[in-house]
Amino acid sequence: MNQSRILPFYMAYPLPMYYQEEDTVTRDLEYLQQMYPSEAKRYQKMIAEILNQIDYEGSCIYDEYPDKWQLYRLTQTIMDKIKRTDETEEGKEKPWEWIEEFVQVLLYYEIYKKRHANHSGILKF
């Protein structure tokens, strides 16, 4: 009997281990997002709401190479919403340039998550 043809069990069925690794990555991402500062969480929720509105087949967020101008306009839409909600706060001058750059980074990350998520909610890497 040739011993070289016998495969160990873990090599014969590698797929369950693959999904377990993706599940670990998803849990890590969710845990780290829970640790965001309060302002970042608030901005992220607004970004996710707006992205859910434009989440359809053929949307610009699913283009192979998203247009920089369209993403800039999307950032401006989000910033307008943030400024409207922050108008209620009195006496606080905010560094809007920094906030806009931060919102852009969060937006790109949320788009990345949407582009790499399949229907079961597991990120594909």
Side-chain angles (χ1 to χ4, degrees):
M1 181 177 220
N2 190 353
Q3 292 292 333
S4 65
R5 291 185 168 198
I6 298 174
L7 289 174
F9 175 76
Y10 65 89
M11 291 181 73
Y13 302 102
L15 215 46
M17 294 171 76
Y18 176 74
Y19 288 119
Q20 184 179 15
E21 183 179 316
E22 282 187 352
D23 187 42
T24 303
V25 170
T26 304
R27 274 187 286 139
D28 285 346
L29 287 172
E30 290 172 356
Y31 176 72
L32 291 172
Q33 284 180 337
Q34 290 174 0
M35 294 172 53
Y36 281 180
S38 61
E39 288 288 311
K41 285 181 187 177
R42 190 166 65 93
Y43 297 155
Q44 183 188 20
K45 286 179 185 176
M46 287 183 192
I47 292 168
E49 288 172 6
I50 290 175
L51 283 180
N52 285 338
Q53 293 173 359
I54 63 168
D55 187 11
Y56 55 86
E57 189 175 333
S59 175
C60 68
I61 64 175
Y62 295 113
D63 289 345
E64 185 176 356
Y65 297 104
D67 184 36
K68 188 174 183 175
W69 186 82
Q70 286 179 331
L71 294 180
Y72 175 76
R73 289 298 307 146
L74 191 55
T75 302
Q76 293 306 311
T77 303
I78 294 166
M79 286 302 298
D80 290 343
K81 184 174 181 179
I82 289 172
K83 287 178 182 177
R84 279 194 308 267
T85 58
D86 286 352
E87 282 178 354
T88 57
E89 294 180 15
E90 298 173 8
K92 275 189 154 180
E93 185 61 35
K94 293 200 170 194
W96 292 113
E97 291 177 18
W98 288 98
I99 292 173
E100 183 175 344
E101 289 180 4
F102 180 65
V103 165
Q104 268 187 318
V105 171
L106 283 176
L107 173 66
Y108 298 158
Y109 180 69
E110 289 296 317
I111 290 173
Y112 173 80
K113 283 190 344 185
K114 282 201 173 286
R115 289 170 61 120
H116 293 287
N118 61 12
H119 299 293
S120 64
I122 299 174
L123 292 175
K124 295 185 287 186
F125 292 97

